Amino acid sequence: MERLDKRVAGSLTRFYVVALCVVAMLTISGLFLIRRTISSLNHDSRVVNVAGRQRMLSQRLTKLALLKVNKTPASDSVRFSVLLNQWRTSHEQLASRRLPIEDGVVTWKSAALDTMFSELEPVFDEMHSQFLAVDSDSISSTEMQDALQVILKNEPLYLDQMDKIVFQFDKESFQRLENLERIEWILGIMTILVLLAEGLLIFRPVVNTTRRVVRMLTESEVALQLSNQKLKETNLQLLDIQKELLVVEEEKYELQLAEDRIRAASLIEGQEEERKRFALELHDGIGQMLTGLKLHAEKLKSVQFHDEKNQKRFEQLVSLIQDIIQTTRQISFNLMPSVLNDFGLTSALKLLCEQTTEVSRAQVDFEGDTSERIPMSNLMETSLYRIAQEALNNAVKHAQASRIKIKLEHTRNRVILEIADDGKGFSVDDLKTENFPVTSGNGMENIRTRSQLLNGKIEIISKIDGGTKLVLEVEL
């Protein structure tokens, strides 16, 4: 125990000494960087030089303007326009507080200098415009003389203001230098004080506290190992319990799925039986009575009506009876088409396409072999027919398709039903993934439920404005 305490304390002592050395080195480096920053103030001399050069350029431009107005040859080799552009550029750089140098751009902030340049701006603009007038060859001698007088009048004001600006630059540069020197001394003294405080107030307490904490941790190590052993045993027991719970949950989920399928199958079977019964009632009951009514009405055609209006009403009555008979037959067919039981799925789908084409604006085509009946159970035939009927209804009413194709293929052990349309389409990701009951009124859910009951593989391919394609594959 004691060896561990001493070893930890010695390591911490060495680390802390290294840390103190690093702090000292950082402090010295900070002082060095401050000295380098002070040396960077040499850029201020460049600003002062540019400001002083502005005075020289204004005097030089005034001299050249005077010589040009008096038509005296000048010994100055630099063009007047070049000097004027240099004078204007330097003024804009100083006024905007951005002066380019060899290795970058010098910027500064000074409310006093901004005020001075604001006061100088009207004088500079007046002189600059008059210099441009003197440099122009399109004005008369009198106008040149007037421009020269304006320049001579404003030059003393410009030079006086530039003197103030130069002195202000120099004053601010000296103040920055003094501030940096004061900061340097303050940082040095504070660093020394921090080092002394660390040694007296932190180093020794940290060592003592660390030694005590390490002793306590060492003493509790054995107890912790025992607790860990007990926790491992408890965790193993919990893992076994979790595995058993997972098995129970999976069995419960499978059982619930099976119950849902049985319930859905029973519900669908009940619906189909009710539809069949109701279709027979319509066909054999109301349909026969309407047919008899139509026959009796047709026998009355030979009767002469004295009133022409009664004759038209009778004709309308006969036509209405015929429409009711046709509607009743259509409803009976939709509930349970007799051709499905008599001739099989292929013939029923072909007749469904023909009738849908007649009553809707869409062109519905069927592709399949109608020469033989596919051997399958009545439940499978009914389910496939309802799936095709639901998909066709969705394509006509919701997708607003103009062309629909139903294709039925079969091999020895497989049936493939395909319904494709050129309608509006939809996003497949928006389809619900939960298993809703068939009575919810959701067409896609009805299709999905029936396909699950058949143990079929269903694939829905659709995109916005790209049509929809439904492919169902069922094993025989």
Side-chain angles (χ1 to χ4, degrees), residues 130-386:
Q130 300 305 322
F131 279 138
L132 290 175
V134 171
D135 190 41
S136 176
D137 296 331
S138 61
I139 64 174
S140 62
S141 299
T142 303
E143 291 175 337
M144 281 191 177
Q145 288 290 342
D146 294 339
L148 180 61
Q149 292 302 320
V150 175
I151 292 171
L152 294 175
K153 177 181 177 182
N154 286 284
E155 185 184 18
L157 300 176
Y158 179 80
L159 295 177
D160 181 63
Q161 188 68 7
M162 284 304 299
D163 286 338
K164 294 179 181 179
I165 290 174
V166 171
F167 289 141
Q168 183 65 24
F169 270 124
D170 186 65
K171 178 181 177 182
E172 293 181 0
S173 177
F174 185 73
Q175 289 176 352
R176 285 194 293 271
L177 182 60
E178 288 183 338
N179 291 334
L180 284 174
E181 289 180 351
R182 284 194 293 270
I183 292 172
E184 180 183 8
W185 281 106
I186 293 172
L187 288 177
I189 295 172
M190 290 180 63
T191 303
I192 295 173
L193 293 176
V194 168
L195 291 176
L196 292 175
E198 274 188 322
L200 296 175
L201 302 177
I202 300 177
F203 176 71
R204 293 304 303 174
V206 167
V207 171
N208 295 331
T209 303
T210 304
R211 180 179 299 168
R212 185 171 60 255
V213 171
V214 170
R215 185 181 298 111
M216 295 172 62
L217 290 175
T218 305
E219 292 173 354
S220 63
E221 184 176 0
V222 177
L224 182 61
Q225 290 178 353
L226 294 175
S227 299
N228 288 336
Q229 185 65 29
K230 293 181 179 179
L231 285 175
K232 288 181 180 179
E233 295 175 358
T234 306
N235 287 334
L236 292 176
Q237 296 176 358
L238 288 176
L239 288 175
D240 294 338
I241 295 174
Q242 287 179 353
K243 291 180 180 178
E244 294 178 359
L245 287 175
L246 287 176
V247 172
V248 172
E249 287 294 330
E250 289 179 358
E251 293 177 353
K252 182 179 178 181
Y253 179 70
E254 293 294 335
L255 181 60
Q256 185 176 0
L257 287 180
E259 291 178 353
D260 291 341
R261 290 182 179 177
I262 293 174
R263 189 180 299 109
S266 300
L267 184 60
I268 291 175
E269 184 177 359
Q271 286 181 343
E272 294 299 335
E273 290 295 330
E274 186 65 19
R275 287 177 177 177
K276 184 176 180 181
R277 185 188 65 81
F278 191 63
L280 290 175
E281 290 290 338
L282 284 177
H283 185 271
D284 297 338
I286 298 176
Q288 296 298 330
M289 288 188 290
L290 289 173
T291 302
L293 179 62
K294 179 185 176 183
L295 293 175
H296 286 296
E298 288 178 349
K299 290 180 180 180
L300 294 175
K301 285 184 178 180
S302 58
V303 178
Q304 296 294 328
F305 292 91
H306 300 287
D307 191 352
E308 185 178 352
K309 291 183 179 180
N310 293 331
Q311 180 69 31
K312 290 183 179 181
R313 289 172 182 171
F314 174 75
E315 293 175 356
Q316 292 175 354
L317 177 62
V318 173
S319 177
L320 180 60
I321 293 172
Q322 181 62 35
D323 292 341
I324 293 175
I325 293 173
Q326 185 63 30
T327 303
T328 304
R329 289 176 179 174
Q330 184 64 39
I331 294 174
S332 177
F333 177 82
N334 290 335
L335 289 173
M336 180 56 66
S338 58
V339 68
L340 181 63
N341 295 326
D342 298 337
F343 300 100
L345 178 63
T346 306
S347 300
L349 290 178
K350 182 178 180 181
L351 181 59
L352 176 64
C353 295
E354 293 174 354
Q355 290 187 348
T356 306
T357 302
E358 292 177 0
V359 300
S360 67
R361 299 179 180 179
Q363 174 63 38
V364 185
D365 299 323
F366 175 76
E367 180 179 342
D369 187 7
T370 58
S371 60
E372 59 178 350
R373 182 170 182 172
I374 303 175
M376 65 176 70
S377 63
N378 292 334
L379 176 62
M380 183 176 293
E381 278 187 337
T382 304
S383 298
L384 290 176
Y385 179 81
R386 293 303 182 194

Side-chain angles (χ1 to χ4, degrees), residues 389-408:
Q389 190 179 37
E390 189 70 51
L392 186 60
N393 181 67
N394 290 341
V396 173
K397 290 186 177 180
H398 304 296
Q400 298 178 359
S402 60
R403 193 169 188 86
I404 308 169
K405 181 179 179 181
I406 298 180
K407 182 178 180 182
L408 183 66

